[in-house]
Amino acid sequence: MTAHDGRTLLAILFGGRSAEHDVSCVTAAHVLRAVDRERFDVVAVGIDRAGAWHLHSPHGDAGALVATGEPWGPSALVDLSHTRDTVVVPLIHGPNGEDGTLQGLLEILGLPYTGSGVLASASAMDKGTAKALCAAAGLPQARHEAHRVDRLDDAELAAIAARLGFPVFVKPANMGSSVGVSRASGPEDLVRSVALASRHDEWIIVEEAVTAREIEVAVLGNLHPVASLAGEVRPAAEFYDYADKYVSGAAEILVPAPLPDDLMEEVRGLAVRAYEALRCEGMARVDFFLEEGGRGFLLNEVNTIPGFTPISMYPKMWEASGLSYRDLISSLVDHALERHARRARFAPR
């Protein structure tokens, strides 16, 4: 493609090899429909489940990704950038998309991209690392432990149960969208939950179950991030699982969350603190538990590539805060260009 009226070219990357492939495709379809076509030209680059890259029509259905597009590869992005201003929009959730690996590739290719950089992406994706960094920053969290699965025997599982009690939630350390997450109410459940989580990662998180409201905040920006009004999720299932997020949409979503002003400002401030503790840039959704009558807000996790589906919280919270979906995408591109220019000032080693 050649330059056209000075418009920036957005390369929408979606799909990928992780268990969150389908979520990524749905997210990309939503973004493709919303992009400001008066400001941007668009190419859609789908990565199939085998890892092959394909160039798709930007007007096609990204939610029905198949390997029918023109075969492509990362080097083609560089070819595009030689002819015009290009910004990559990674919408690949989970491993090899949200964990810093793709961001590292884009850094090597010298391309600006939306969202966080390598360090923040990797740190936020690994729940054990993220929790350790946020604990060091003084952020409140539920009791939890990180474990390598191959070191867990019956005695160690019993010791974990003795320390944390039941019920607990067991999660893969490097996965999102609630994939591989389950609730364990007793020793036999714990064994099954560990087996489920270990299908997705060699490290797992075991976390105490808390009786709490689920509060989320959208954060946007680079050096001076700002927080949206908070939203609340009231799950239809035992917890806010994959089906509730992306299939049934049965959860009750309240945006803005029904919080008094002091708690609203408190959670927005905590969200920015977590964002900065992990050195996030561009965007992130920061999730909390609100343990009323107890410990108050407890940080759950930071998501550096939050979903953009029609029922996703991140765009809903910004819309409630006065930023439309289309303008949100444009703002993310602006932040990508700002960071790329800022980082380019540093001399190569």
Side-chain angles (χ1 to χ4, degrees):
M1 297 181 68
T2 58
H4 181 66
D5 295 337
R7 289 198 295 264
T8 297
L9 177 67
L10 300 188
I12 310 295
L13 280 180
F14 65 96
R17 302 177 65 182
S18 85
E20 297 179 79
H21 175 99
D22 292 338
V23 176
S24 174
C25 293
V26 174
T27 296
H30 193 51
V31 170
L32 286 168
R33 286 193 296 269
V35 166
D36 183 354
R37 300 296 176 126
E38 293 185 0
R39 180 180 174 189
F40 304 112
D41 289 328
V42 182
V43 293
V45 182
I47 301 176
D48 66 27
R49 295 181 188 276
W53 295 48
H54 305 273
L55 179 64
H56 291 256
S57 165
H59 303 290
D61 179 11
L65 172 65
V66 290
T68 56
E70 176 186 344
W72 239 46
S75 60
L77 292 173
V78 178
D79 293 338
L80 286 175
S81 68
H82 286 164
T83 60
R84 64 187 308 179
D85 291 335
T86 301
V87 175
V88 179
V89 182
L91 297 175
I92 299 177
H93 301 287
N96 298 316
E98 195 172 355
D99 61 355
T101 52
L102 177 58
Q103 289 74 16
L105 172 63
L106 296 174
E107 291 283 354
I108 291 171
L109 296 176
L111 292 169
Y113 57 92
T114 60
S116 286
V118 175
L119 177 63
S121 297
S123 299
M125 187 67 193
D126 187 289
K127 294 179 178 65
T129 299
K131 287 179 180 295
L133 290 171
C134 288
L139 288 154
Q141 302 178 79
R143 293 182 301 127
H144 61 275
E145 298 183 7
H147 292 277
R148 209 172 81 183
V149 176
D150 64 350
R151 296 179 179 175
L152 290 177
D153 54 20
D154 291 343
E156 184 56 30
L157 288 177
I160 293 170
R163 290 190 295 267
L164 294 180
F166 285 111
V168 293
F169 281 96
V170 181
K171 310 173 181 180
N174 287 275
M175 189 56 65
S177 299
S178 299
V179 173
V181 177
S182 61
R183 187 176 189 268
S185 299
E188 292 183 359
D189 282 348
L190 182 58
V191 172
R192 286 193 290 268
S193 293
V194 168
L196 173 62
S198 67
R199 291 169 53 188
H200 301 283
D201 196 14
E202 62 184 342
W203 282 85
I204 64 168
I205 301 295
V206 184
E207 184 174 81
E208 65 167 325
V210 297
T211 301
R213 296 165 62 183
E214 297 193 24
I215 306 296
E216 301 184 352
V217 180
V219 182
L220 176 68
N222 292 342
L223 300 180
H224 305 286
V226 294
S228 71
L229 294 173
E232 180 172 2
V233 177
R234 295 180 180 174
E238 189 173 45
F239 65 98
Y240 195 29
D241 61 8
Y242 182 96
D244 215 358
K245 289 178 179 178
Y246 300 111
V247 181
S248 67
E252 183 180 4
I253 305 297
L254 303 174
V255 182
L259 293 171
D261 291 346
D262 59 335
L263 291 184
M264 179 66 78
E265 291 309 305
E266 179 184 351
V267 75
R268 293 174 73 187
L270 287 170
V272 171
R273 282 179 56 193
Y275 189 89
E276 294 184 325
L278 297 181
R279 299 191 189 178
C280 294
E281 291 192 277
M283 64 176 171
R285 194 192 71 237
V286 186
D287 301 345
F288 295 88
F289 299 121
L290 174 55
E291 192 178 65
E292 295 178 306
R295 291 169 289 181
F297 288 111
L298 301 172
L299 175 66
N300 180 21
E301 60 185 27
V302 178
N303 297 273
T304 56
I305 303 184
F308 275 83
T309 68
I311 60 172
S312 294
M313 288 290 284
Y314 190 86
K316 283 180 175 290
M317 288 186 286
W318 277 117
E319 185 176 8
S321 303
L323 186 63
S324 72
Y325 191 81
R326 176 169 292 190
D327 289 342
L328 173 59
I329 295 171
S330 297
S331 180
L332 290 172
V333 174
D334 290 338
H335 289 307
L337 292 169
E338 184 279 327
R339 181 183 62 195
H340 188 70
R342 170 166 44 91
R343 299 289 297 173
R345 296 178 302 168
F346 297 103
R349 296 178 180 176

